[in-house]
Amino acid sequence: MTTLQLFYYIVLGICLQIALFSLVAMFHHIRSYRFLQKRMAGLDAEPAAEPVLQDIRRILPDALTGHAPLWKGLRTFKVVRKVFEDPAKLVCSFYLEATDGSPLPDYKPGQFLTFQLTVRDLASGGPKDIVRCYSLSDAPGNPYYRVSIKRTLPPPGKPDVPPGLSSNYFHDNVHIGNMLTVKAPSGHFFLEPGDSPVVLIAGGIGITPMLSMLNAIIKTASHREVWLFYGVRNSFDHAMKAHFEVLASVHSNFRLHVCYSDPRPEDKLGTDYQHKGRVDVALLRQTLSFQIHDFYICGPRPMMENLVPALEEWGVPDQHIRYESFGPASITRASRKAAPVADLSPSPQPQISVTFAKSGKTLAWDGRDDTLLDFAERHGIAVDSGCRAGGCGSCQTRIKSGEVAYIQAPDFDAEPGTCLMCVSRPKNNLTVEA
Ligand SMILES: Cc1cc2nc3c(=O)[nH]c(=O)nc-3n(C[C@H](O)[C@H](O)[C@H](O)COP(=O)(O)OP(=O)(O)OC[C@H]3O[C@@H](n4cnc5c(N)ncnc54)[C@H](O)[C@@H]3O)c2cc1C
Ligand code: FES
């Protein structure tokens, strides 16, 4: 090695040391700052490590922290694995890797991906573009994203009802090696950080966001108490059974309660499942200790409509109940009944008119429909839609005049001057672009 090379190495070493010291100093500075902030707010507590890390992440460029930013628009993903999760083979997990090779942004456990698909239209036989949301079903921090999709079949005894477009497309046409176009993770239903006990309640395919939350808690080796109440019909459609049972046997902070509403003769109470019947508030009251829990609920509409008000009646404070619906759902919350009647009442309001500018139609809002999207569709006005639950932005429509009221807080942040027709109603005379 020449003297010049040695000199360069020494200079490089000194620079690295300076950078390291600056980082540590910045870390301590932020730590003290947050501590002081909390003291001033009357909270005499040591700052938690996580917010400090978040502050550092915010200050440093993404390249230095390895924290990838969320992408805008659509990104192409390749399916790298496909796994059935239940004996009925109705739930299938798809593992996705980005084709551009750059790191995947983290997401909050409970958030979802939005897919844009071109499927075959059952009526015309031609191609049809659709948008659907699917919850991420594993903990963040993996080199892949995973979604677990349930095949939607016509209800028993109704063979004329067409099968679900997207879920059946995934099951039948999406194979390992196929490409999918996907919007970045989003959604306001996610696990809040902290150490308060968590109660996850899932019905059927509503298990997917809970799986992400549970796996995230377990992955961080946290001792946070977590209860899972999972309702399915029986062992035939019991998804990820082995995974939950292994976690429950290894992690004493995780309590598993599976409810079968219609057990098969071979299903063993106490082994395959813990309770016969559906998840209801009576079961929660008899199982949970008397302390504050954070409740997260996702399941079919009747389950949510039953459980959310029942928890409120039990005395669980509003801010400790979080829920997500996989489709249109308006749940009446006792604590949120303050919305002005004129805004949300489904009763006839003939004085309100809705003009669809592009379609050239002006119609009376008669209160028969839950949302502007239902109203438009009933009158033959074409509006794009995907999740029908305020999550994907597909139904975003420009407002030319008038105002709307939201029936539930949307996950998608609509642009100013627009509305999400799937979760809104007119407040007064309204003109929209559709
Ligand atoms: C935030 C969010 C997260 C989600 N996460 C998941 C997840 O993790 N896993 C998952 O499996 N799903 C999830 N979903 C649901 C998913 O987005 C789709 O809604 C679901 O897969 C059904 O879509 P589809 O295209 O298969 O059915 P669609 O074609 O949209 O049909 C929906 C239902 O309507 C019925 N139907 C269709 N046409 C008619 C007709 N003419 N008359 C009567 N009935 C009809 C179908 O049989 C079906 O039951 C999520 C939804 C949201 C909003
Ligand atoms: S259809 Fe997804 S936000 Fe309205």
Side-chain angles (χ1 to χ4, degrees):
M1 182 186 300
T2 64
T3 320
L4 194 64
Q5 278 175 326
L6 184 65
F7 174 72
Y8 279 141
Y9 281 127
I10 292 171
V11 171
L12 189 69
I14 293 171
C15 290
L16 279 175
Q17 275 192 8
I18 292 173
L20 195 70
F21 281 133
S22 312
L23 258 176
V24 172
M26 192 162 64
F27 178 86
H28 283 296
H29 182 74
I30 294 169
R31 213 175 136 90
S32 330
Y33 173 67
R34 290 192 68 89
F35 184 54
L36 272 175
Q37 253 190 338
K38 281 200 169 180
R39 289 290 294 266
M40 285 175 75
L43 297 167
D44 192 358
E46 273 292 318
E50 206 183 356
V52 177
L53 283 175
Q54 280 168 2
D55 284 338
I56 289 184
R57 279 180 165 183
R58 244 176 263 135
I59 291 166
L60 294 179
D62 291 328
L64 268 180
T65 58
H67 178 68
L70 290 176
W71 67 93
K72 288 203 165 41
L74 294 165
R75 187 170 173 186
T76 308
F77 280 77
K78 184 173 171 180
V79 179
V80 292
R81 213 174 147 213
K82 202 175 157 181
V83 181
F84 284 106
E85 305 288 6
D86 57 340
K89 293 199 167 184
L90 285 177
V91 179
C92 186
S93 287
F94 296 82
Y95 291 73
L96 313 173
E97 280 178 11
T99 50
D100 57 20
S102 38
L104 295 181
D106 265 353
Y107 52 89
K108 295 176 180 162
Q111 288 191 309
F112 59 83
L113 291 177
T114 301
F115 291 81
Q116 200 169 68
L117 307 162
T118 304
V119 302
R120 195 173 65 85
D121 186 13
L122 295 175
S124 68
K128 180 177 174 153
D129 290 334
I130 58 169
V131 175
R132 293 288 184 278
C133 305
Y134 290 101
S135 303
L136 288 143
S137 64
D138 204 352
N142 290 310
Y144 58 81
Y145 284 154
R146 183 179 76 178
V147 290
S148 305
I149 299 179
K150 181 167 184 190
R151 192 192 274 279
T152 315
L153 297 169
K158 293 193 174 169
D160 295 343
V161 172
L165 280 178
S166 158
S167 56
N168 286 283
Y169 174 81
F170 264 95
H171 276 249
D172 299 332
N173 298 86
V174 177
H175 306 293
I176 294 173
N178 286 168
M179 306 295 171
L180 293 166
T181 45
V182 186
K183 283 193 200 167
S186 60
H188 294 155
F189 178 69
F190 52 76
L191 180 72
E192 294 289 345
D195 46 22
S196 53
V198 171
V199 180
L200 310 175
I201 304 173
I205 194 59
I207 192 65
T208 50
M210 308 305 172
L211 196 52
S212 178
M213 295 183 194
L214 172 68
N215 287 359
I217 292 174
I218 300 285
K219 191 172 178 177
T220 53
S222 146
H223 294 295
R224 192 171 188 181
E225 197 178 293
V226 49
W227 300 74
L228 174 63
F229 292 87
Y230 176 26
V232 284
R233 212 157 36 94
N234 52 45
S235 57
F236 199 51
D237 47 12
H238 186 165
M240 317 231 177
K241 185 169 185 283
H243 175 73
F244 292 127
E245 286 173 357
V246 169
L247 290 190
S249 67
V250 175
H251 299 276
S252 56
N253 57 321
F254 171 42
R255 320 279 164 76
L256 177 63
H257 289 264
V258 177
C259 302
Y260 283 1
S261 58
D262 183 18
R264 299 198 297 170
E266 62 270 38
D267 295 340
K268 288 194 182 65
L269 182 64
T271 311
D272 294 313
Y273 65 108
Q274 284 68 45
H275 310 278
K276 184 171 185 298
R278 297 180 195 280
V279 185
D280 59 16
V281 84
L283 173 64
L284 300 174
R285 291 178 81 141
Q286 99 196 20
T287 319
L288 296 172
S289 56
F290 188 73
Q291 59 173 320
I292 297 275
H293 296 86
D294 283 325
F295 291 87
Y296 294 84
I297 312 165
C298 185
R301 188 172 177 153
M303 173 182 160
M304 317 263 290
E305 284 173 344
N306 173 299
L307 260 178
V308 174
L311 282 173
E312 289 187 318
E313 245 171 65
W314 184 21
V316 180
D318 184 43
Q319 68 274 23
H320 291 280
I321 308 174
R322 299 179 182 86
Y323 60 86
E324 178 160 80
S325 151
F326 281 178
S330 47
I331 292 161
T332 313
R333 299 189 68 162
S335 50
R336 297 192 187 164
K337 272 186 184 156
V341 177
D343 292 346
L344 301 180
S345 164
S347 60
Q349 294 171 359
Q351 74 276 19
I352 294 183
S353 71
V354 181
T355 303
F356 295 93
K358 244 200 235 163
S359 317
K361 284 189 184 170
T362 296
L363 303 158
W365 174 258
D366 53 13
R368 275 169 57 190
D369 301 286
D370 276 346
T371 65
L372 272 166
L373 179 63
D374 294 339
F375 180 71
E377 286 176 349
R378 187 162 62 85
H379 290 96
I381 293 154
V383 178
D384 282 344
S385 67
C387 65
R388 305 183 76 94
C392 69
S394 307
C395 65
Q396 179 171 262
T397 307
R398 192 146 295 284
I399 298 177
K400 288 176 156 272
S401 65
E403 290 171 289
V404 298
Y406 279 97
I407 58 168
Q408 64 188 57
D411 271 323
F412 185 86
D413 293 322
E415 283 169 26
T418 68
C419 68
L420 299 174
M421 302 238 300
C422 68
V423 281
S424 58
R425 293 178 188 163
K427 238 175 159 178
N428 40 37
N429 289 343
L430 183 73
T431 303
V432 289
E433 213 167 64

